[in-house]
Amino acid sequence: TQLLEQSPQFLSIQEGENLTVYCNSSSVFSSLQWYRQEPGEGPVLLVTVVTGGEVKKLKRLTFQFGDARKDSSLHITAAQPGDTGLYLCADTGTASKLTFGTGTRLQVTL
Amino acid sequence: GAGVSQSPRYKVAKRGQDVALRCDPISGHVSLFWYQQALGQGPEFLTYFQNEAQLDKSGLPSDRFFAERPEGSVSTLKIQRTQQEDSAVYLCASSLARLALKTQYFGPGTRLLVL
């Protein structure tokens, strides 16, 4: 059974700070997705990465996929309160179901 | 356009009661998924439908859990004889096609509390 560990579990920072969260897998990803989930809502897809070493940028968010396709990082520049939420990585697997990580809960305060 | 909707949003059940949770996927979406999310954890896969066919139910934790999608659109997740450990948020997601790389769109979830 694949295990996806995310770190840190919790992160509380002030507006304007930079941060990085990590996702590590016990096995090679099929492809990796990052989601953000706000309280009382379902996860919303941020990005999909497929190729080892791939880097994708989404405004202030930078996603990096490890060369060996077993790890990934999400870097946020100049965090804003609207970035607050639960960040989840997920493996799309060989079938259709998603395997989610343990999550990083981010709080950005003014 | 409307997204995935789920009802009820909140459900309180006494231990031993049966509950039924409803999911209305995005119109035209072929695939439908159910996930269970315990407090402070990531969602865990329960079951998957392609149209009306339940292709994977490997994540259902016990035979008390049953899901159906009889006409290939609306789906119901039923939990019989609820237990306290069933307390969680139940998320439904739909996608346009079978492949996992197609985006899954999640509903807001049903928060189930079993007392």
Side-chain angles (χ1 to χ4, degrees):
Chain A
T1 304
Q2 182 185 27
L3 296 177
L4 301 185
E5 292 285 338
Q6 292 188 240
S7 60
Q9 274 189 296
F10 303 99
L11 194 54
S12 181
I13 62 171
Q14 291 190 319
E15 183 180 18
E17 293 183 4
N18 301 333
L19 67 116
T20 303
V21 299
Y22 301 91
C23 174
N24 290 278
S25 174
S26 57
S27 56
V28 173
F29 284 98
S30 298
S31 63
L32 183 148
Q33 296 181 328
W34 282 95
Y35 289 80
R36 179 170 65 219
Q37 183 178 22
E38 299 184 14
E41 300 297 328
V44 175
L45 179 65
L46 298 174
V47 76
T48 301
V49 287
V50 179
T51 306
E54 187 174 1
V55 178
K56 282 193 173 179
K57 293 191 176 183
L58 182 65
K59 296 183 180 177
R60 294 176 295 100
L61 279 60
T62 301
F63 305 86
Q64 189 156 5
F65 201 13
D67 291 341
R69 299 174 65 242
K70 291 185 68 176
D71 60 275
S72 180
S73 64
L74 159 57
H75 182 79
I76 302 178
T77 303
Q80 300 177 357
D83 296 326
T84 293
L86 178 67
Y87 287 81
L88 295 159
C89 63
D91 187 0
T92 59
T94 54
S96 295
K97 59 188 177 187
L98 296 171
T99 299
F100 283 92
T102 50
T104 292
R105 190 166 298 278
L106 172 65
Q107 172 129 25
V108 182
T109 56
L110 294 171
Chain B
V4 178
S5 60
Q6 294 186 243
S7 61
R9 292 294 310 275
Y10 303 92
K11 177 69 179 178
V12 179
K14 291 183 179 178
R15 192 174 54 170
Q17 276 186 330
D18 298 349
V19 298
L21 312 180
R22 176 187 169 107
C23 172
D24 284 83
I26 295 172
S27 178
H29 277 197
V30 169
S31 298
L32 185 146
F33 308 81
W34 285 97
Y35 294 85
Q36 180 190 59
Q37 186 173 24
L39 189 64
Q41 301 294 318
E44 292 191 356
F45 170 79
L46 293 177
T47 188
Y48 157 60
F49 290 86
Q50 185 177 336
N51 296 306
E52 68 277 6
Q54 189 175 19
L55 298 186
D56 188 344
K57 54 181 181 179
S58 62
L60 296 176
S62 78
D63 58 8
R64 296 186 295 105
F65 287 71
F66 172 76
E68 60 184 4
R69 194 186 185 199
E71 296 179 1
S73 56
V74 171
S75 178
T76 303
L77 176 67
K78 298 179 180 178
I79 309 174
Q80 297 177 321
R81 304 181 304 282
T82 52
Q83 304 293 315
Q84 285 185 325
E85 61 262 29
D86 300 335
S87 296
V89 174
Y90 290 86
L91 294 165
C92 175
S94 69
S95 71
L96 193 55
R98 177 177 65 86
L99 298 176
L101 284 179
K102 295 295 181 184
T103 302
Q104 292 189 23
Y105 296 88
F106 284 82
T110 294
R111 184 175 297 276
L112 173 65
L113 178 62
V114 181
L115 302 176

